[in-house]
Structures are given as C-alpha cells and as structure tokens.
Amino acid sequence: MTSSSPRTVIRSTGMSVPEKVVTNADFEAIVDTSDEWITTRTGIKERRMCAEGQNTADMAAEAGRVTLADAGLDPDDVDILILSTATPDHLLPATACETQALLGCENAAAFDISAACAGWLYGVSLADAMITSGMHENVLVIGSEKMSAILDYTDRTTCVLFGDGAGAALVSVGGGNGRGILGTHMRTNGRQARLLWRPAGGAALPSTDETRSDRMEYVKQEGREIFKQAVMCMESACRHVLDSTDRRISDIDLVIPHQANIRIIDAVASRLGVERDRVFVNIDRYGNTSSASIPIALDEARRQGRVGEGSTILMTAFGGGLAWGASVVVL
Ligand code: ACO
C-alpha cells in the first residue's frame, strides 16, 4: 500500500539488549561447531542472551521507554502499543499487556502480532494505517524476542543463529517536507509454513512428556530452503515497494535489512545493485533477533549518524510464515 502524501512519521526509536554476550567460542564448548564456520556461513560473531528472570516484556518495556524519551513524550501519550514477538512470555494474555503495565501507558490499547521476523514491519504498516485513517495519533511499535527460550542448544544448525533483544519506534501523525512512511509491501506464503516452525506447545499439539523428549517445542528450520526463499522474497518486496513509491534504488540512503545471515544480506544487496556502504549490518554483534532486528538496526543507524531527518531508508524483512515485506520511509 502507498500513501501519496504521507501522514505518518517514524518520530523516534529505541532499543534494549541483555548485557550477557555469548560468543562463537562459547558455542564451541556446547555443540560441534567453530568460530570459523559460524563467521563464514552467517557473519555472526556474538549475540546477547537474557539473564535468568529477564523476559520478552522486560526488554520490550525498556526499548519502549528509550523510544518515548527520544520523542519527549510521556507513556500516557501512547494510543496503541503493538508488540511483535515470536517468543511471548505466556500464551495468554498477550505480552503487550505486561509491557503496557511496565511502561505505564495507561491510555493505550495493547496487543501482540505474530509474524515472526517480519512482525515489526507488519506492525509499522498497521500503525501507519491506524494513523492515516484518523483513528490514532501515537502508536508504539515494539519488536521483542527472547529467542534463547525457544532454541534447542543441542542442535548446532539453529542454536548459533539467534539472539535476544528488543527494538522500537514511535509512529506518529506528522509528515510534511516529504517526510513519512511512503509505502509498505507485505506478503505471506502459508503453504511453506513448516520450513520454520515449532511443532509442539500450541493448541494443535500441546506439550507432553513425549513432545518434550522429542524436543518438539524448539525452533526447527530447513536452513537451505529458507535461505533461497529469503533472498528471492526480500528482493521482490524491495522492487515492489520501490515501484509503488516511485523511487529507485539510487534514491535510497540506507537499506536496513533483517539481520539473519550476512550472505542473505549480500545477495539481496547485489541483486538490487546497492553497494555495501549503503546497507546497514550489525549481525556480527547480535545474530538474528527475529522481529527485533530491524528496529535495533534502525536505532543504531540513527544513533551512529548513518541516517537522520530527511534520509530515505528501505527496510526489508523475511521470516517464518513464510512472511516478508519491505517499506520505504523518509525519516
Ligand atoms: N557448525 C558447524 N557445522 C554446521 C553448523 C554449525 N553451527 N550448522 C550446520 N552445519 C553443517 C551441516 O550439518 C552441514 O554438514 P553436512 O554437509 O555434513 O551435512 C554443513 O554444515 C552445511 O550445512 P548447510 O545447511 O548446507 O549450510 P548453509 O551454508 O546453508 O548454512 C544456515 C546454514 C546458516 C542455516 C543457512 O542456510 C541460513 O542462514 N539459512 C537461513 C536461515 C534464516 O534466515 N532463518 C531465519 C529466518 S528468520 C525467522 O523467521 C526466525
């Protein structure tokens, strides 16, 4: 969807990651892997891991607090709190509810969305629509993931890839001078849902001793197939949204891709014809933080001065669902 005269802006951003750093060398001690394999195949050197008792809502609330401070707003000013997560603290109620309480956003309606790594971008699109329709003024969109809670630390093909963290943006009524969310393209392919999933623990296959001993509550993925799909889908989403917003790749100051694998990022950049210095990369420090990855990257890009007011960014995400998308925003 495209807005010809955008009414919504990304007003501020924030992030929160746990203090504990887990290096590739730490994994060498628990599974049959090496720093060399992880670095060359994924680009990851280290990732963060929650401390005992630190949960998805805690990171979400901290990222939200930083974001509201960055905007100079009070918690009471938030109309809607959208939390994207694949690692809800409880299956009921939504983790957004506890986040709302921790943040003290007394006037906000709060709910979760579940679209894996693409969830935060889906949330931004939803926020844009809620504001453009005139329903709301300030929507806090948070991606928060405690991936360490759903990883199988005996499976070297998945456990080394992910990290914990949260990122957020305040999407607000605004615009003018060309600023705003120019357009978003979102797609889903549910026929391939089982390429990346957690087979047990939900209503279809509740947790039992057997599912637990078969380690079916943990993330399973077909890495090679996901890799191919990620490259194709992110390239296609970027082309769609560039077309629909009447932009060329040369108009983009910075591409902010989902951080799943440096080889995926490089392949998408090369297909789009964009040089590495216009692509933001921090996968080396955080691994794949699922739906927190783009807002963390956006916040770091802003704080490092890589982008500022008036910069045109292209964000693109891909993940379980399969669900993917891309968005062009003038900050
Ligand atoms: N250490 C050492 N060896 C390993 C490891 C490891 N951590 N993991 C796998 N290997 C081995 C495999 O067992 C295999 O060995 P074999 O040839 O003896 O069978 C060999 O390495 C090659 O395995 P591949 O799966 O072909 O390796 P590939 O180059 O495809 O890299 C990876 C695997 C990193 C998972 C890659 O496919 C990938 O990044 N895929 C996309 C993952 C992704 O983006 N997922 C998340 C989407 S986001 C979301 O929604 C949460």
Side-chain angles (χ1 to χ4, degrees), residues 2 8 11 28 39 58 71 80 88 97 103 134 144 223 264 269 285 291:
T2 311
T8 55
R11 179 165 167 175
E28 289 176 356
T39 305
D58 301 310
I80 300 285
C97 303
L103 265 171
S144 184
I264 294 176
R285 287 177 291 123
S291 72

Side-chain angles (χ1 to χ4, degrees), residues 141-207:
V141 188
I142 307 174
S144 184
E145 308 282 7
K146 184 177 171 181
M147 296 303 292
S148 58
I150 61 166
L151 292 175
D152 181 350
Y153 285 96
T154 66
D155 174 9
R156 68 177 182 174
T157 69
T158 51
C159 70
V160 302
L161 302 175
F162 297 93
D164 299 340
L170 186 75
V171 181
S172 292
V173 69
N177 299 327
R179 288 184 69 201
I181 298 174
L182 304 193
T184 301
H185 176 83
M186 296 186 292
R187 281 290 179 276
T188 301
N189 178 1
R191 283 188 303 278
Q192 294 190 305
R194 293 181 182 194
L195 288 181
L196 200 172
W197 69 319
R198 291 172 65 199
L205 188 55
S207 219

